[in-house]
Amino acid sequence: MAENLAPNWRLREQRYQLVGNVCLKCGAKHFPPRQVCTECRGAEFEPFPFSGNGELYSFTTLRQAPSGFEDFAPYAVGMIKLDEGPLVEAMLTDVNQDDLEIGMRMEMVTRKIRAEGERGLLIYGYKFRPSGD
Amino acid sequence: MKPKRDVGIVGYGAYVPRYRIKASEIARVWGGAEEGMPIEEKAVPGLDEDTITMSVEAARNAMARAQINAQVLRAVWVGSESHPYAVKPSSTVVAEALGASGATLAADWQFACKAGTEAMQAAIALVGSEMADYALAIGMDTAQGRPHDALEYTAGAGGAAYVMGPAENALAVLEGSYSYVTDTPDFFRRTHQYYPEHGNRFTGEPAYFAHTLQATRNFMERMNFTPRDFQWAIFHQPNAKFPLQASAQLGFTRDQIVPGLLVNRIGNTYAGASLIGMTNVLDNAKPGDRILLVSFGSGAGSDVFSYVVTDKIVERRDLAKRTAWYLARRELIDYALYARFRNKLVMN
Ligand SMILES: [Zn+2]
């Protein structure tokens, strides 16, 4: 039987479209979406699709990849400060490690994150790459 | 063929992965002659790319130019010979990533290199019949050639997406289309086989040339066109030689063909090949230009379209990355990295 179908399915909007949420009380935007606002403790939200544009806040290279990601190692992961505010942690793609610089403009792309083995589901989601702007 | 309601291209977008391998590097590994290569280099997808991810990016570019809400799309159709799943549509993932899921048609099309233009024909019909106002047609491939096979030199990666909609909102208005098919076994891949089989010399005359020339001639005659009526023409491009030869036989000049001829730089992108040639032409065309688009797919058949560019192209073409951006983004790799990226290594 195929595994992890439901948990992956529930995250599809978040992963494919970078949909977070916005606090209806104070307007703070969150990604990933939160249940309680970190700014005002508010608990009422609306979904909010982020533009996917931001800048590179920090990065590092993973040489020993966690299980399921071995095929991609070594690869870069980074924190991206989205233009709307939140910091997102993501794998970086389409870039040579030497060309990464703090503060460079980044954009979200949808990529294959991993496969659940030879026969399982292909998991797609967001990564970030230099936008060239 | 002409729809009842006038239809056009409302948005378009290209995608090419950033990696390239030179044909001379492939020849070095297999001891091939370095002269007379079918192309200069081809695009190679990264480890995290496939027909779905590439379709998503091209479609986002097309939607940015279309300036419509994804929820008004009534079809998301992906034509490819390299869908990541044997069973499970690529198109539903693409629809979800665009925010178009829900009340929409979605399906994967296959007809070798003609799958993308077949989806375009259907999108024209859906909009033209007023069943829908907007439909998305994509041609995208990450083609694989067996190591040491002639196709390994040319099997590239890339493609394009088109939002088809009412002519009033179009960047290029359709004048007419045509399709011509026969049962011709020039190239095929059986279920569960990883690499395709092809008929070598048989792929030329009875397949590519017969269908491309016949379809174009029939279309031009029906529409009363001559090659001089077109500013630009795009033909399917499995290598650099075939489209140049076919277009010359039809009476087109090299100048009409060159902007839509990308095969030397990205390889044969199969279902994407004629459609991405078209995006490069649209990136540079002027309002009033007439464009001929001719695909070819093994098996075999050709689709033909003529479009006239409208004033709207001027303000909308820079709402997304141009084809030239993807062509210029280029990271050269050697055969070893290529083998890793294309899953050709046995890990032992
Ligand atoms: Zn709040």
Side-chain angles (χ1 to χ4, degrees):
Chain A
M1 198 181 80
E3 290 181 14
N4 298 327
L5 299 184
N8 281 310
W9 174 71
R10 278 193 290 271
L11 290 173
R12 68 195 189 283
E13 284 198 337
Q14 207 184 107
R15 282 185 180 154
Y16 294 177
Q17 297 180 60
L18 218 62
V19 175
N21 62 8
V22 55
C23 172
L24 291 179
K25 201 164 136 200
C26 79
K29 289 159 186 149
H30 303 285
F31 190 89
R34 293 188 179 274
Q35 310 279 321
V36 177
C37 181
T38 46
E39 302 295 316
C40 74
R41 312 296 299 164
E44 278 190 274
F45 295 93
E46 257 180 15
F48 180 85
F50 286 86
S51 66
N53 298 314
E55 62 182 47
L56 190 57
Y57 183 80
S58 68
F59 63 90
T60 185
T61 300
L62 288 191
R63 296 185 187 281
Q64 297 293 323
S67 161
F69 297 86
E70 299 93 338
D71 285 354
F72 300 108
Y75 60 86
V77 293
M79 299 289 289
I80 290 87
K81 183 151 178 57
L82 297 175
D83 289 346
E84 297 90 345
L87 272 176
V88 183
E89 188 185 345
M91 289 167 79
L92 308 182
T93 191
D94 285 359
V95 66
N96 302 337
Q97 324 273 325
D98 294 347
D99 297 334
L100 288 169
E101 276 175 45
I102 303 288
M104 76 196 299
R105 295 292 299 165
M106 305 293 281
E107 64 187 353
M108 186 270 276
V109 291
T110 303
R111 292 294 169 90
K112 199 158 61 181
I113 304 295
R114 64 194 163 85
E116 302 245 320
E118 277 293 301
R119 290 165 52 181
L121 201 63
L122 301 172
I123 311 291
Y124 297 94
Y126 55 83
K127 292 190 181 183
F128 281 79
R129 73 166 177 218
S131 64
D133 296 339
Chain B
M1 298 184 284
K2 266 185 180 174
K4 269 195 167 167
R5 160 161 77 159
D6 286 336
V7 175
I9 295 167
V10 170
Y12 67 93
Y15 186 76
V16 184
R18 84 189 266 259
Y19 304 101
R20 304 283 188 282
I21 185 167
K22 286 191 163 292
S24 58
E25 168 70 1
I26 297 172
R28 180 184 68 83
V29 170
W30 298 113
E34 294 221 3
E35 282 113 62
M37 290 285 118
I39 59 166
E40 282 163 33
E41 58 191 45
K42 67 173 189 174
V44 180
L47 280 166
D48 58 359
E49 298 189 279
D50 61 21
T51 289
I52 288 178
T53 67
M54 292 162 57
S55 294
V56 168
E57 183 157 342
R60 284 190 177 132
N61 287 335
M63 292 298 288
R65 290 191 175 101
Q67 292 285 293
I68 57 168
N69 186 307
Q71 282 290 317
V72 306
L73 284 178
R74 286 291 168 272
V76 176
W77 287 330
V78 183
S80 181
E81 64 123 73
S82 47
H83 292 290
Y85 287 96
V87 178
K88 184 183 185 306
S90 301
S91 50
T92 51
V93 184
V94 176
E96 194 80 58
L98 298 177
S101 63
T104 183
L105 294 159
D108 294 1
W109 298 66
Q110 68 105 340
F111 190 145
C113 301
K114 192 170 99 69
T117 54
E118 193 77 46
M120 180 182 265
Q121 295 274 29
I124 289 166
L126 200 73
V127 176
S129 68
E130 301 188 357
M131 276 180 73
D133 283 335
Y134 295 97
L136 178 64
I138 301 173
M140 191 66 65
D141 259 308
T142 58
Q144 287 268 32
R146 179 180 282 113
H148 204 179
D149 184 277
L151 286 183
E152 191 185 21
Y153 289 94
T154 54
Y162 288 83
V163 177
M164 307 305 295
E168 310 86 83
N169 191 19
L171 313 173
V173 173
L174 177 86
E175 293 183 298
S177 70
Y178 183 74
S179 197
Y180 179 87
V181 307
T182 69
D183 175 13
T184 306
D186 56 323
F187 168 103
F188 51 86
R189 177 165 65 86
R190 294 271 302 275
T191 309
H192 305 308
Q193 293 299 305
Y194 197 62
Y195 296 114
E197 304 297 320
H198 60 91
N200 254 327
R201 292 183 188 285
F202 191 62
T203 58
E205 287 306 327
Y208 179 87
F209 288 99
H211 295 82
T212 300
L213 297 179
Q214 192 67 53
T216 309
R217 283 180 181 137
N218 289 358
F219 177 74
M220 305 262 276
E221 193 184 302
R222 270 152 228 233
M223 298 288 290
N224 269 318
F225 285 140
T226 70
R228 278 193 298 276
D229 294 320
F230 295 91
Q231 271 67 42
W232 316 110
I234 302 106
F235 290 89
H236 178 56
Q237 35 205 277
N239 52 48
K241 200 172 92 188
F242 280 18
L244 284 171
Q245 198 177 320
S247 58
Q249 271 177 263
L250 289 162
F252 290 89
T253 65
R254 220 184 148 91
D255 288 347
Q256 286 169 295
I257 304 302
V258 164
L261 192 62
L262 306 180
V263 65
N264 258 327
R265 304 173 67 183
I266 61 174
N268 178 6
T269 56
Y270 286 57
S274 54
L275 291 177
I276 193 170
M278 177 85 173
T279 65
N280 199 44
V281 168
L282 288 170
D283 282 343
N284 296 291
K286 293 185 304 296
D289 284 359
R290 179 176 282 128
I291 303 170
L292 181 76
L293 170 65
V294 183
S295 69
F296 167 75
S298 292
S302 271
D303 289 315
V304 189
F305 308 80
S306 71
Y307 288 100
V308 175
V309 178
T310 74
D311 295 340
K312 293 193 174 67
I313 196 136
V314 179
E315 60 199 31
R316 300 232 294 266
R317 67 176 146 210
D318 283 317
L319 296 176
K321 289 187 164 78
R322 288 188 181 210
T323 314
W325 186 88
Y326 290 101
L327 296 175
R329 162 182 108 125
R330 172 177 171 276
E331 178 78 8
L332 212 52
I333 58 172
D334 62 9
Y335 197 90
L337 259 186
Y338 165 74
R340 182 182 172 206
F341 284 3
R342 298 309 278 138
N343 207 13
K344 293 177 194 297
L345 292 176
V346 179
M347 305 288 262
N348 59 11

